[in-house]
Amino acid sequence: MKNLTIQTIEKEQIKFLKFPKEELLISKTEKAERCLTLTRAMVLGNIEHEKVRILFADNEGLKRVNTTIWGVTEKYVILKTSTIIPLERILSVA
């Protein structure tokens, strides 16, 4: 990754980003934990309208977005206005 600083962006900017195909997490445990955390965040978003901070990486470096998760599929996290982030590009959810 070229840039180690974390840039905070608005969810509306995500559709303009380019995402490499590489998985960021190495272990099966980390990937399973990410799925569990994303699912919890989706439930919070849908029931409580709680926002979460998603740390992810595009082709330029680390990005953070504060948003509500509407859905989680095998390959993508779905945000409002049909914005998607590839699952393999997400580092953490808080």
Side-chain angles (χ1 to χ4, degrees), residues 17 23 25-26 29 35-36 38 44 48 59 65 79 92:
L17 304 178
E23 169 63 70
L25 302 182
I26 297 159
T29 307
C35 283
L36 197 60
L38 284 167
L44 274 175
E48 305 285 337
N59 64 334
V65 64
L79 312 176
S92 69

Side-chain angles (χ1 to χ4, degrees), residues 30-83:
E30 288 175 314
K31 292 175 195 173
E33 185 63 35
R34 175 177 60 195
C35 283
L36 197 60
T37 306
L38 284 167
T39 302
R40 277 195 212 118
M42 177 187 65
V43 170
L44 274 175
N46 289 329
I47 296 171
E48 305 285 337
H49 304 287
E50 287 283 322
K51 288 188 174 188
V52 294
R53 286 184 312 280
I54 302 172
L55 178 64
F56 65 98
D58 68 353
N59 64 334
E60 293 180 358
L62 296 174
K63 305 271 191 294
R64 179 178 287 128
V65 64
N66 191 25
T67 188
T68 304
I69 296 176
W70 284 35
V72 179
T73 71
E74 261 182 54
K75 296 188 181 218
Y76 299 101
V77 170
I78 304 161
L79 312 176
K80 214 176 196 174
T81 65
S82 302
T83 302

